[in-house]
Amino acid sequence: MPRRKFYAVRPPYGPAVHDTWEECAAAVLGKPGASYRSFPTREEAELWANGGESAGPADPGTLLLYVDGSFVEGNPRAGWGVIAVRGGEELWRMSGTTERDALSRNVDGELEAATRAVEWLRAHPQPALLCHDYEGVARWATGEWKARSEVAARYVEAVRPLPPGLSFRHVEAHAGERWNEAVDSLARSAVLGKPDEKGDGKNS
């Protein structure tokens, strides 16, 4: 079966994402100034169509920052975790719980993890992919979603402007992806009071 593609179109004939080349062609071919590209996922296509820089295939030397959050009934705060990976090797990890009680369960942890990753990247500027399984991590950060909730508004205020060279990549939750499973476990350990830290990332 041919690999599916999504076709992103930027203004002035977008932003839009088309499911087929035929739809995209009808919107852009023969029109001056048309800007369009194909992507393997809808999220990447929407990000690019709205002015963001979607991450293509990662170079082996690219820093990957995996983030995740966790929430356990009976605990008022959410857990969060970040694992930095380059070339298939873990460089460092950090984790903890949110400073405030969680307003949106595990979403608080997801956004706290992304915030910590962005803060680290500002202190260590370099190209990086922020790998996440909750789509709001990218959509709120890039402005695709309006931050209507308190937790989303705090997140947007903390991460904007985004560090130069930062792109986002969505990974499927609980699909067996090694590092996403590892950071999920790290965030859960944090909220259960069982931190599993190999380094805080400050000197990495």
Side-chain angles (χ1 to χ4, degrees), residues 2-203:
R3 183 179 178 183
R4 187 174 183 184
K5 292 183 179 181
F6 297 89
Y7 299 88
V9 180
R10 280 183 167 174
Y13 306 107
V17 175
H18 300 284
D19 292 322
T20 68
W21 166 242
E22 288 73 19
E23 291 177 359
C24 181
V28 300
L29 292 186
K31 297 182 179 179
S35 179
Y36 56 95
R37 281 178 58 184
S38 66
F39 294 90
T41 69
R42 177 174 291 278
E43 181 181 57
E44 289 176 295
E46 290 177 346
L47 178 62
W48 188 83
N50 284 279
E53 288 304 319
S54 182
D59 182 274
T62 299
L63 179 69
L64 307 178
L65 296 172
Y66 283 84
V67 300
D68 209 350
S70 183
F71 183 82
V72 175
E73 292 290 349
N75 192 323
R77 300 186 180 186
W80 58 269
V82 184
I83 296 179
V85 178
R86 195 193 308 273
E89 298 293 329
E90 180 177 333
L91 302 180
W92 52 262
R93 59 174 58 189
M94 57 183 172
S95 63
T97 57
T98 54
E99 295 180 0
R100 298 180 174 90
D101 289 355
L103 299 176
S104 302
R105 299 171 66 87
N106 67 300
V107 172
D108 291 63
E110 305 272 1
L111 300 183
E112 180 67 21
T115 299
R116 298 298 184 109
V118 168
E119 289 174 348
W120 185 91
L121 198 57
R122 286 183 179 136
H124 305 80
Q126 59 192 286
L129 276 176
L130 201 155
C131 304
H132 57 93
D133 59 23
Y134 175 62
E135 60 181 335
V137 166
R139 294 180 188 267
W140 276 316
T142 60
E144 184 179 346
W145 283 1
K146 293 185 182 299
R148 295 188 173 91
S149 68
E150 181 180 337
V151 65
R154 288 201 306 260
Y155 170 63
V156 168
E157 183 178 4
V159 300
R160 290 185 185 171
L162 294 172
L166 175 64
S167 299
F168 295 88
R169 169 166 290 164
H170 182 264
V171 293
E172 292 298 327
H174 310 299
E177 206 278 0
R178 175 187 177 187
W179 297 111
N180 193 55
E181 294 295 330
V183 77
D184 174 76
S185 178
L186 182 63
R188 185 169 179 80
S189 293
V191 78
L192 290 174
K194 301 177 181 178
D196 177 24
E197 306 226 12
K198 292 186 178 180
D200 61 9
K202 291 180 180 178
N203 299 313

